[in-house]
Amino acid sequence: MKFFPVKEYRFKLVGDQTEALDRLYRRTEKSENLISDYTDSTFRGKINGTHFNLISSNIGRGAFCVMTGEIEAGNGKVR
C-alpha cells in the first residue's frame, strides 16, 4: 500500500520558456525550508534555472505535496 503515491504530469506552456519562468519567480516566495507559512505568494520553495522544488503556500496543505519539476522550451514536467 502506497501512503504517498507519486504522480508525474507533462504540460504545454502557453507562452515561451522565459515568460513561464518569470511568472513562476513572481508567484514563488524563496525558501530553503519547505515549510508552509502565511504569505501573499502562491508557492514557497527554490527555483534553480529551469528546475524547481516547490510547495503550496496554503497552511495545512502546503508541505504535504512537494512539486519537483522542470520547464523546458515549449513544455514542462512536474512530479
Side-chain angles (χ1 to χ4, degrees):
M1 173 168 38
K2 292 184 178 181
F3 288 106
F4 300 105
V6 176
K7 294 183 180 182
E8 293 188 25
Y9 295 99
R10 294 195 175 274
F11 56 92
K12 185 175 180 180
L13 299 179
V14 175
D16 62 348
Q17 181 182 18
T18 56
E19 183 181 335
L21 285 170
D22 287 341
R23 188 178 316 119
L24 188 60
Y25 274 111
R26 283 194 316 264
R27 298 179 73 182
T28 303
E29 180 180 309
K30 289 151 191 65
S31 173
E32 290 295 321
N33 301 324
L34 297 176
I35 300 171
S36 295
D37 197 8
Y38 293 104
T39 181
D40 292 333
S41 300
T42 306
F43 304 109
R44 291 188 56 147
K46 310 185 262 191
I47 304 171
N48 296 324
T50 60
H51 299 279
F52 58 87
N53 194 13
L54 306 172
I55 63 168
S56 172
S57 63
N58 291 341
I59 301 295
R61 291 184 233 152
F64 188 71
C65 177
V66 177
M67 295 174 280
T68 304
E70 178 178 8
I71 295 178
E72 301 165 346
N75 58 27
K77 61 182 175 179
V78 66
R79 179 183 169 127

